[in-house]
Structure formats: structure tokens, C-alpha cells
Amino acid sequence: MLMLVNCSNCHTPLQLPPGAQSIRCAICHAVTRINNNSSYNTHHQHQQYPPPPVVTPSPYNHVTSFKTPNAHGRKRALIIGVCYKYSRHELKGCINDAKCMKYLLINRFKFPDSSILMLTEEESDPYKRPTKYNMRMALYWLVQGCQPGDSLVFHYSGHGSQQRNYTGDEVDGYDETLCPVDFETQGLIVDNEINATIVKPLPRGAKLHAIIDSCHSGTVLDLPFFCRMDRHGKYVWEDHRPRSGMWKGTSGGEAISFSAGCDNYQTSADTTALSKITSTGAMTFSFIQAIERGHGSTYGKILNAMRSTIRNADTEFSGGLTLVPSLINMLLTGGSVSRLTQEPQLTANEPFDVYTKPFSL
């Protein structure tokens, strides 16, 4: 049975392989040594912390081998599309989502092409395939050298999942995860790691927007505040800060996430019901449509437009709902049709008025 221990430096839960005497944290790179006399609980209850860690002096010095765009632009984006080709988990629209999101960022929000890193299975560069290792390194890259005034975007389209949380820092008792293309052999990327990698380091004056198109993605960035909105547009911010008191916010910066389901239990749709042309993620498509159709002035307007697009998909299927022309040539062919049941929603590091706060990337 795998043993769950906490990193002795950042306290991130780590799964200790059977028989191992130490483990290196993927987030802070501290080495946690296991004291055989300590009472680690193999049933994943509260753990005792081992002796002080040994920390490598420069945990990200190997990032130079990760061939990416320049990491010092004012605008920077990481876009990941995972289709799990030739497997029983295959999705049809995720690479389309990635291409459309890149097109939107470049043409609508003036992101330099050189500041956008894409990981998809179509990439010939082995460092740009959406493996667990590459996704982790890309997340580090996204916040590397981040300064006040920087605008960061993280877009993910692919499978998401859940796993039991044993540290008490999840309201629903589950950690949310992203599924790399090699997740069956290398494992999942857990929300705790995502939070520690791209949320906590954000300095004051910097902002991060995430658009997550996957199942169980309501709180995949582990942001502490959750916007609960009803079908009439009324909303309330729910406090999802862990009872343990662990801080899940930023270092003064701003982090806001649009996710594919308003709750962690909701699933996302890989569908042709929206574009009528090819498979897309419903979350990604509705976000792009909201921006392109002029509903991008505030977060509330974007959210309501996204929800309207998804709710009306079935009734508009025969009515010719189409992509704006500028995006048609970005799409490929293929696809399955599924019923759309998710409700896009917001999470953030701090509550705000969604109808007055301007949206900008």
C-alpha cells in the first residue's frame, strides 16, 4: 500500500513508494526523509513531520533544458490540449480547443506568438508533448520571472479526475486532478501542486487567468473563493478556504479561473453540438464565443454568455449556431455529440463584484 506523507518543507501530500526511505517534492524539491520510528499512518490520516529537509540550492536550474518561448514577456500563456489518441480515453476536440485559444489570444488580446507555449500530441518536439513531466515543467515556466504588470493565461483541455484527499484541505473531501497523456503510467497532476506552482508565487500586480475545460474542474486551481451563480445571474461567493488554515491564495497577485463545471462533480462535454463543424470542448467554445460576440466587458457578462451558449445548444442545434467566421479556419474535422450539462463558473483568490470588475488579459 502506498503511504501518504507531507513534504517537510511545503507540506504538499506525497505518495511514498513501498520501501522508500526518502522522497523529493516535485514542487519545492525538498527531500523528505522517512523516520522509521515515526508513526506515519498507512491509512492516510495525519502525519508526523520528518527532520528538516535538504533543499537543492536552485530547484529550477534544469528548466533551461525545457525548450520554450522567452519567459520574460509582459503577456505569457500556456495552452495544453490532450486527446489521448489511440486509447480508450480518446477525446476529439482538445487540440481544436488549443488552436482556437491560441488564435484568440494572439488576435484578440495581442499575446505575442513567441510568448505562448502549446503542449499537444501533434507537436514533434518531445518537450512539447503533454506528458506529466512536460506539463509540470511548463507550469513552472509560466510563472518563471513573473513581475508586477504581467498577465498570464493557463488553458487546459483534456480529461480531469478526482482522488481522495486525506489532509482536510478540501471542502468536498476530494482533490481535483488533470490527466496528462501518460497518466496511466506516470500518474495525475493534483490541484495542490497546481496551486503551489502557479498560484502561490504570483506577486502583487501580476494576474493569472485559467480556462480549464475538463471534468471535475470546479476547483482544480484550489483557489479559496468559489462563485455560486444561479440561472438568473444572482451569485454569492463561497469561502472554500481549508479548515486546516493552509493558505491557497497568491503572494499578492490576482488569480481567477473559469472552469468547466460549477461543481467538482460535474463533467465537461466534448461535442459537435456547438460549432456544428467539429468537436470542441463546450467550455472553451462558449468562452471564445462570449469574447467574440462582445460579451467580454466583465466577468459576469462572460459567465452568463457562456452559460446561455451551453444551455441553448440543444434548441439551437437546428437553428444554425455557428462560430464567428474568424475561427472557422482554425478547426479540423471529427467529433462526437454529447448532451451539455455543465455550468461554467468562477473561482478566485479574492471575491469581487463580477458585474463591475472589468475583464482583461
Side-chain angles (χ1 to χ4, degrees):
M1 179 182 295
L2 290 175
M3 182 187 300
L4 195 75
V5 299
N6 281 349
C7 171
S8 55
N9 184 51
C10 69
H11 307 319
T12 297
L14 307 171
Q15 286 189 334
L16 184 74
Q21 299 301 307
S22 65
I23 187 169
R24 185 183 297 274
C25 179
I27 298 172
C28 71
H29 285 236
V31 175
T32 299
R33 292 191 171 88
I34 308 307
N35 185 345
N36 290 329
N37 296 323
S38 64
S39 56
Y40 285 106
N41 190 320
T42 58
H43 292 91
H44 311 301
Q45 300 300 323
H46 296 290
Q47 303 90 7
Q48 296 180 3
Y49 295 126
V54 176
V55 184
T56 55
S58 181
Y60 308 128
N61 54 10
H62 60 290
V63 82
T64 54
S65 65
F66 188 60
K67 301 174 183 177
T68 65
N70 190 314
H72 301 288
R74 300 282 289 184
K75 293 189 174 187
R76 196 180 320 159
L78 169 61
I79 300 174
I80 301 176
V82 197
C83 283
Y84 316 91
K85 290 184 177 180
Y86 313 116
S87 78
R88 60 192 176 93
H89 309 290
E90 185 167 358
L91 296 171
K92 301 295 184 183
C94 298
I95 294 178
N96 292 340
D97 291 343
K99 290 179 177 179
C100 286
M101 185 57 66
K102 181 177 181 179
Y103 184 92
L104 182 79
L105 292 179
I106 291 174
N107 290 278
R108 174 67 66 172
F109 295 104
K110 308 306 178 186
F111 275 63
D113 182 78
S114 61
S115 74
I116 299 175
L117 173 60
M118 278 185 62
L119 305 185
T120 73
E121 288 131 297
E122 287 188 348
E123 299 291 336
S124 58
D125 185 340
Y127 288 103
K128 293 184 180 180
R129 289 182 55 79
T131 64
K132 183 176 182 179
Y133 176 82
N134 287 348
M135 285 174 61
R136 278 176 159 175
M137 292 300 99
L139 288 167
Y140 290 136
W141 169 84
L142 183 63
V143 296
Q144 182 185 22
C146 183
Q147 299 176 1
D150 286 355
S151 175
L152 312 180
V153 171
F154 172 42
H155 173 256
Y156 172 85
S157 180
H159 281 304
S161 187
Q162 291 179 307
Q163 66 183 34
R164 194 74 185 168
N165 172 268
Y166 298 95
T167 61
D169 68 346
E170 292 286 350
V171 172
D172 63 354
Y174 288 90
D175 285 315
E176 283 63 57
T177 63
L178 301 183
C179 301
V181 68
D182 56 353
F183 75 93
E184 290 186 299
T185 58
Q186 299 304 310
L188 307 168
I189 297 179
V190 183
D191 54 8
N192 294 334
E193 178 176 349
I194 298 169
N195 180 275
T197 304
I198 64 173
V199 175
K200 287 185 179 179
L202 281 176
R204 187 172 302 278
K207 60 184 177 182
L208 165 71
H209 286 88
I211 300 96
I212 309 297
D213 201 338
S214 70
C215 298
H216 309 293
S217 62
T219 59
V220 77
L221 263 66
D222 248 4
L223 295 171
F225 294 97
F226 187 99
C227 184
R228 177 80 62 183
M229 180 178 284
D230 66 20
R231 295 201 166 207
H232 303 289
K234 296 180 180 179
Y235 71 94
V236 60
W237 285 98
E238 297 178 354
D239 188 342
H240 281 206
R241 285 176 291 186
R243 291 184 294 272
S244 65
M246 182 180 294
W247 176 238
K248 294 288 187 176
T250 69
S251 295
E254 184 177 39
I256 299 173
S257 176
F258 289 91
S259 58
C262 70
D263 281 304
N264 295 324
Y265 63 81
Q266 288 187 317
T267 57
S268 62
D270 187 47
T271 181
T272 56
L274 292 169
S275 73
K276 312 301 181 299
I277 302 170
T278 184
S279 284
T280 60
M283 168 71 191
T284 302
F285 180 91
S286 62
F287 177 80
I288 292 174
Q289 283 283 72
I291 301 299
E292 292 282 7
R293 290 185 168 181
H295 303 297
S297 58
T298 67
Y299 292 86
K301 286 186 177 180
I302 293 174
L303 204 56
N304 281 313
M306 292 172 67
R307 290 177 163 207
S308 177
T309 295
I310 291 174
R311 288 173 188 155
N312 295 335
D314 288 336
T315 57
E316 292 183 354
F317 187 86
S318 60
L321 174 67
T322 58
L323 279 170
V324 290
S326 63
L327 290 178
I328 290 178
N329 62 354
M330 294 301 298
L331 296 172
L332 305 176
T333 60
S336 59
V337 177
S338 59
R339 188 170 180 82
L340 308 179
T341 59
Q342 76 242 35
E343 289 281 348
Q345 196 54 279
L346 283 173
T347 54
N349 66 303
E350 292 182 349
F352 58 88
D353 186 334
V354 301
Y355 292 114
T356 60
K357 184 177 177 66
F359 172 80
S360 65
L361 294 182

